[in-house]
């Protein structure tokens, strides 16, 4: 007997989300279940929502009119919050998907999860961290700064998921303050005469007088120094990082086949969508090296493709011995 699909309500803040991402959003939701309830909130009299209006019928999305009661203030978030609470108590839902980059939804997410619902968030990379971390999982429209968003990745992009983006420079450049060079007398060739009209000649007529002024020496600036690379964590340190292990186990469960093996590229693709996960923070450049450093996993090569799975309890004891 087939397992019934999870019932999901999709609530979209149309004033705060791009219509061009709707296909990607629905494709991602299809991995979790079925979006039986689809609603988009906004002031549909505004020309800014024309792109959303054009795709409402195609994707069976119900528009919810919300007037702007205060100029410059988006009122859709309040309407979405009220409807989400109504759905919580009147519908049998497994999850709610919120499409917005507004941090005002953080208390709502916490309330929904407290009642046992899963919350899937969708938004831009500017989405505040509290909203991102409150969701069961959060998906960025443009992960890692790329414009691919939630579209299916090509083979080259999937391979690239094993290594993090180049972040060898800090967010804020660090400049060294150069020491003041010792004072040296200026070259006579650089001294320019400046006329002084306050000098009067013997015959009563004003006569110009030159005063030597040396130009100020310029100090060359040093280039910004890159931030030091993070220290590489040992296998023992990685094994005691509970948050890291939970993320790796979750990625394996999402990508594994019936035999328990998971394509490493698929695992990397799942991890790349998780907020705050970067290989560089653990001192590694490849996902395969990270798994090999932890003796809780097995890595196997098949036709130039890497596969990974959890070690069996018997294998783990043998390794420990």
């Amino acid at each position: 007997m087939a397992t019934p699909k999870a019932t999901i309500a999709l609530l979209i803040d149309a004033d705060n989300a791009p219509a061009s991402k709707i296909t990607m959003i629905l494709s991602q939701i299809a991995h979790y279940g079925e979006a039986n309830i689809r609603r988009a909130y906004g002031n549909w009299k505004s020309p800014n929502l024309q792109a959303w209006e054009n795709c409402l019928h195609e994707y069976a999305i119900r528009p919810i009119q919300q007037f702007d009661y205060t100029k410059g203030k988006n009122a859709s978030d309040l309407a979405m919050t009220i409807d989400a609470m109504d759905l919580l108590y009147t519908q049998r839902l497994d999850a709610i998907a919120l499409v917005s980059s507004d941090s005002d939804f953080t208390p709502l997410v916490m309330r929904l999860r407290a009642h046992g619902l899963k919350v899937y968030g969708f938004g831009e990379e500017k989405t505040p961290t509290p909203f991102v971390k409150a969701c069961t999982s959060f998906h960025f429209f443009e992960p890692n700064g790329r414009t691919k968003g939630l579209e299916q990745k090509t083979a080259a992009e999937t391979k690239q998921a094993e290594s993090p983006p180049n972040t060898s420079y800090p967010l804020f450049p660090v400049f060294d303050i150069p020491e003041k060079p010792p004072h040296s007398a200026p070259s006579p060739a650089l001294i320019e005469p400046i006329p002084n009209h306050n000098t009067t000649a013997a015959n009563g007529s004003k006569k110009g007088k030159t005063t030597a002024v040396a130009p100020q020496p310029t100090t060359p600036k040093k280039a910004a120094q890159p931030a030091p690379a993070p220290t590489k964590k040992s296998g023992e340190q990685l094994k005691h990082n509970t948050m890291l292990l939970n993320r790796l186990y979750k990625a394996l469960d999402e990508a594994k086949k019936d035999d328990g093996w998971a394509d490493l590229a698929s695992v990397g693709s799942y991890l790349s969508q998780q907020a705050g996960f970067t290989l560089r923070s653990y001192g590694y450049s490849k996902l395969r090296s990270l798994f090999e450093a932890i003796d809780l996993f097995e890595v196997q090569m098949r036709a130039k493709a890497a596969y990974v799975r959890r070690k069996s309890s018997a294998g783990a004891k043998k390794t420990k011995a």
Side-chain angles (χ1 to χ4, degrees):
M1 182 176 179
T3 304
K5 292 185 178 180
T7 302
I8 303 174
L10 172 61
L11 306 182
I12 304 171
D13 183 1
D15 292 323
N16 201 10
S20 59
K21 304 299 182 180
I22 185 59
T23 303
M24 306 173 193
I25 294 171
L26 293 175
S27 298
Q28 187 64 34
I29 291 178
H31 292 292
Y32 302 120
E34 186 174 357
N36 298 320
I37 300 175
R38 305 178 184 182
R39 300 176 183 176
Y41 300 77
N43 184 3
W44 297 100
K45 293 181 178 295
S46 172
N48 296 330
L49 297 186
Q50 185 63 49
W52 275 110
E53 188 174 351
N54 294 337
C55 65
L56 291 177
H57 295 293
E58 180 180 356
Y59 295 98
I61 300 174
R62 177 186 173 188
I64 305 297
Q65 173 63 29
Q66 185 62 40
F67 292 99
D68 298 330
Y69 296 110
T70 303
K71 186 176 181 180
K73 175 63 176 177
N74 178 17
S76 298
D77 50 358
L78 182 57
M80 287 176 60
T81 300
I82 295 173
D83 276 10
M85 295 304 298
D86 286 342
L87 292 171
L88 173 64
Y89 293 109
T90 60
Q91 302 290 331
R92 293 185 177 181
L93 297 176
D94 298 299
I96 289 182
L98 297 176
V99 182
S100 180
S101 302
D102 195 339
S103 63
D104 292 343
F105 291 108
T106 304
L108 172 63
V109 175
M110 297 174 65
R111 180 65 179 274
L112 294 174
R113 296 198 64 184
H115 281 265
L117 289 186
K118 294 182 179 181
V119 180
Y120 305 118
F122 296 85
E124 299 177 355
E125 289 192 346
K126 66 179 182 179
T127 305
T129 302
F131 181 28
V132 173
K133 290 188 175 294
C135 296
T136 305
S137 63
F138 196 93
H139 304 273
F140 294 102
F141 293 146
E142 299 175 356
N144 302 328
R146 293 175 294 178
T147 56
K148 289 292 180 182
L150 299 176
E151 297 171 336
Q152 287 187 338
K153 298 178 176 61
T154 62
E157 291 170 335
T158 303
K159 185 176 181 182
Q160 186 179 359
E162 296 186 19
S163 59
N166 182 15
T167 54
S168 58
Y169 291 93
L171 293 177
F172 300 96
V174 179
F175 294 93
D176 291 335
I177 301 177
E179 298 182 358
K180 186 176 181 181
H183 177 73
S184 58
S187 172
L190 298 177
I191 299 178
E192 299 179 359
I194 299 178
N196 185 349
H197 300 285
N198 296 327
T199 305
T200 305
N203 58 2
S205 61
K206 292 186 178 181
K207 183 178 181 182
K209 181 180 179 181
T210 60
T211 304
V213 177
Q216 296 296 327
T218 58
T219 304
K221 293 183 178 180
K222 291 185 178 181
Q225 300 296 325
T231 305
K232 189 174 184 178
K233 305 296 183 183
S234 66
E236 196 65 25
Q237 290 174 316
L238 296 174
K239 285 173 59 177
H240 288 84
N241 191 325
T242 306
M243 179 179 293
L244 171 63
L245 290 180
N246 288 338
R247 285 183 169 180
L248 296 181
Y249 288 148
K250 178 64 175 176
L252 285 176
D253 291 340
E254 291 288 336
K256 70 180 181 181
K257 306 298 182 182
D258 294 337
D259 59 357
W261 288 94
D263 181 7
L264 191 61
S266 300
V267 175
S269 177
Y270 177 85
L271 290 172
S272 67
Q273 297 178 4
Q274 305 307 305
F277 179 82
T278 57
L279 286 171
R280 185 178 181 274
S281 61
Y282 304 104
Y284 289 81
S285 60
K286 292 185 177 181
L287 185 59
R288 175 183 172 183
S289 301
L290 181 68
F291 275 108
E292 290 176 340
I294 309 174
D295 60 4
L296 300 176
F297 304 95
E298 295 181 75
V299 180
Q300 184 181 96
M301 295 299 298
R302 302 178 186 175
K304 298 183 180 181
Y307 288 79
V308 62
R309 72 174 179 183
R310 298 192 194 187
K311 280 187 177 180
S312 62
S313 57
K317 291 180 180 179
K318 184 177 180 180
T319 303
K320 186 176 181 181

